[in-house]
Amino acid sequence: MNTVERWKQEKHPLDVIEDVERYAAEELSFEEIEARAGDGEWERLKWAGLYAHGRQDGYFMMRTKVPGGYLSPEQAEVIGEVADEYATAPEEFGGEEQNDIWGDAFLDITTRQDVQMHWIEIEDVPEIWQRYDEVGLTTVQGCGDSARNVLGCPAAGLDGHECFDAQPVVDAVSEFFTKNREYANLPRKFKLTITGCRQDCAQSQINDVGLTPARREIDGEQYYGFHVRVGGGLSDGPRMASDLDVFVPPEDTVEFCRAVAQTFKELGDRNNRGVCRMRYLVQQMGAEKFEEAVRDRCAVDLPTRGTDLTEGYRGDHVGVHDQREDGLKYVGFNVIAGRMGGDEFRRAAHAAREYGTEDASVRLATDQNFLVTHVPEQNLGDLLNTPFARKYQPDPGPFSRGAVGCTGSEFCNYGIIETKNRVRRWAKALDRRIDVPEEINVVRMHMSGCSASCAQPQIADIGFRGETVQVDDPEGTTNEEGDNIVEGMDFGLGGSLGADNEFLDWVEHAVPADAVIPALEELFEAYADDRDNGERFYEWCRRVGNDRLRAVMQRADANVVGGVAHGDGSGRGEVADDD
């Protein structure tokens, strides 16, 4: 049994929720918390949705779960208010100027439809929880070895590409697992996605459990339900999910997901923390044996597969779109790297209420963007003219539209490089400097600050994972030994989800950060000259091959290949995003 498992045996992780109330009442410091409960408490606090900051002692990242990304205007307003009031840096860490771009009191939309805030102090958590309770929000099990936020299509119930609205199923599964002690101590994090959407917006191929729309004849009648994929995931050892020969009726979805969790709970590895994710269990057993184990533990008899209704992969919902109802629109706003001010998020909630119908909502998407729904066509112009809408425009350039960034070294102790500011600067610079073929409206550029995959770099056109890089430059030495250590990254190309899904290839390693944009300029110049008609960037990268890609990158007037990887991060804080 590994150390984390021992900590969970010593005290059930959900018991930490009551402990937080006591720590807050006594205003305990981090040192006092550790003295009272031991160093395992930092792990257990994840079940309360709290991560200790990597570098700022005494402060937490807090993760708010948003099943399927759905927020009522009231819920969105409370989230914005909490960020504005509590996610504030103290003066010793820069106060309102602590971030060059966003300043202070911001929130991050994550790749798992969660909301993260920083600078949270333990004494403020009970007040935040009380305000959340009033509108039906929670941070419980936002982190930890249990079922995480359940993903869904952010346009559930709205869009014509949908077979049926799966949001009620998302809510039911989320409700079953949240605060359920029986399934709150799994071998590792357990990630589910459920969608009735034909375009797999919720990324079933890279989740532990992915339910996608299907149709099957049962007793002479046609029924809609779900097909199942299991064992997908990223980080180290990335794996595309395997199909099971199962059809799950909507009313049996909770029981099916419980049976999968039971299988993982009983058979998953609790010794080696490095290989205890469910994808390793599926890989080890094989999909057929894993299915048998799930069926043995499931209280309902599940039919075999029917007709699959997934048609492809839709990476985002940015832009103005028609809803099913005549005269209504939903608008997808572009939030580069997912970060925005709490006050701005509150204004988005106000706009949904002011310009939408009584059914209006704010929806979070897996690409770190958000939607405002149920907008009558006559109100659209006024909505798009609001200050927040002009800033988070629904018609961005292709690099801004596809930019995703994890927390990075700013707050995450595993983060080797800074990400959020860099992604925003780079996306805007690339939109100015590179002419992308007119029919290409998005280039997916994802940056993770370390080898974890919180920003999902493996499925992007262009993926980065952070490195510290040693370069040969005596004039730029940074220590007595004459080393020049700079931020850099492994540089990957050619990833995608969908019918032609592949993880990208890491084409070049330890590229100094200042060489990346020149290398991309060379790549896109070659792409524009060489692409076949309609060929997307990731398709071109696969076709021409890595040797050609390296040769093109090395034409840049920059030190693309002159670096060597150097070190990584460690400490009390842990990964502060949704890998």
Side-chain angles (χ1 to χ4, degrees), residues 99 264 409 536:
N99 184 286
F264 183 36
S409 61
R536 302 189 70 83

Side-chain angles (χ1 to χ4, degrees), residues 182-243:
E182 183 70 19
Y183 298 101
N185 179 4
L186 299 175
R188 201 67 165 84
K189 61 187 79 172
F190 182 53
K191 298 189 171 181
L192 305 103
T193 176
I194 302 170
T195 182
C197 154
R198 295 180 188 273
Q199 297 175 351
D200 200 15
C201 312
Q203 303 178 324
S204 67
Q205 294 170 324
I206 56 169
N207 276 267
D208 294 310
V209 182
L211 303 184
T212 58
R215 186 176 59 245
R216 196 186 193 285
E217 183 177 308
I218 301 176
D219 297 330
E221 294 189 31
Q222 293 289 326
Y223 286 86
Y224 280 112
F226 301 102
H227 280 170
V228 179
R229 292 174 170 142
V230 296
L234 299 176
S235 197
D236 295 329
R239 184 180 189 276
M240 292 290 181
S242 301
D243 291 327

Side-chain angles (χ1 to χ4, degrees), residues 402-419:
V404 172
C406 75
T407 298
S409 61
E410 184 181 12
F411 297 113
C412 176
N413 205 52
Y414 285 176
I416 300 171
I417 64 170
E418 191 281 323
T419 54

Side-chain angles (χ1 to χ4, degrees), residues 312-326:
Y313 172 63
R314 177 176 182 168
D316 69 44
H317 294 77
V318 174
V320 178
H321 303 271
D322 293 330
Q323 290 188 199
R324 287 174 174 171
E325 304 93 332
D326 287 343

Side-chain angles (χ1 to χ4, degrees), residues 66-79:
V66 185
Y70 178 92
L71 291 169
S72 69
E74 292 75 18
Q75 290 174 322
E77 184 172 18
V78 168
I79 288 173

Side-chain angles (χ1 to χ4, degrees), residues 212-422:
T212 58
R215 186 176 59 245
R216 196 186 193 285
E217 183 177 308
I218 301 176
D219 297 330
E221 294 189 31
Q222 293 289 326
Y223 286 86
Y224 280 112
F226 301 102
H227 280 170
V228 179
R229 292 174 170 142
V230 296
L234 299 176
S235 197
D236 295 329
R239 184 180 189 276
M240 292 290 181
S242 301
D243 291 327
L244 299 186
D245 189 14
V246 170
F247 176 85
V248 182
E251 63 270 21
D252 294 332
T253 306
V254 170
E255 171 57 20
F256 173 77
C257 292
R258 184 211 61 79
V260 177
Q262 186 73 31
T263 304
F264 183 36
K265 178 182 177 182
E266 293 178 11
L267 305 182
D269 192 319
R270 292 183 184 264
N271 296 305
N272 185 347
R273 188 82 175 161
V275 293
C276 56
R277 294 289 294 271
M278 200 182 91
R279 64 177 178 270
Y280 293 107
L281 179 62
V282 174
Q283 181 72 33
Q284 177 188 6
M285 296 179 67
E288 290 186 7
K289 290 292 185 184
F290 186 84
E291 180 186 324
E292 289 177 15
V294 173
R295 286 183 178 275
D296 286 345
R297 291 162 175 79
C298 191
V300 296
D301 292 327
L302 296 168
T304 55
R305 288 171 66 89
T307 302
D308 198 284
L309 300 178
T310 300
E311 296 176 350
Y313 172 63
R314 177 176 182 168
D316 69 44
H317 294 77
V318 174
V320 178
H321 303 271
D322 293 330
Q323 290 188 199
R324 287 174 174 171
E325 304 93 332
D326 287 343
L328 291 182
K329 309 282 186 180
Y330 72 87
V331 183
F333 293 97
N334 180 227
V335 187
I336 302 175
R339 178 165 288 180
M340 60 189 301
D343 58 337
E344 294 171 324
F345 198 68
R346 199 169 70 243
R347 291 190 194 108
H350 292 169
R353 188 182 292 113
E354 182 174 356
Y355 300 112
T357 69
E358 61 182 10
D359 297 318
S361 59
V362 176
R363 313 280 187 97
L364 311 182
T366 58
D367 60 343
Q368 301 183 318
N369 295 318
F370 73 92
L371 286 58
V372 172
T373 76
H374 295 85
V375 180
E377 190 167 5
Q378 63 268 25
N379 294 348
L380 185 62
D382 290 336
L383 170 64
L384 296 179
N385 200 40
T386 59
F388 92 85
R390 292 197 299 270
K391 181 174 181 179
Y392 300 104
Q393 54 189 304
D395 56 347
F399 288 95
S400 294
R401 179 169 179 164
V404 172
C406 75
T407 298
S409 61
E410 184 181 12
F411 297 113
C412 176
N413 205 52
Y414 285 176
I416 300 171
I417 64 170
E418 191 281 323
T419 54
K420 292 287 190 183
N421 294 19
R422 178 175 279 121

Side-chain angles (χ1 to χ4, degrees), residues 4 27-28 36 57 69 72 168 242 250 282 342 373-374 389 394 403 519 523 575:
V4 172
E27 298 186 4
L28 297 188
R36 177 177 297 187
D57 203 41
S72 69
S242 301
V282 174
T373 76
H374 295 85
L523 284 166
V575 178

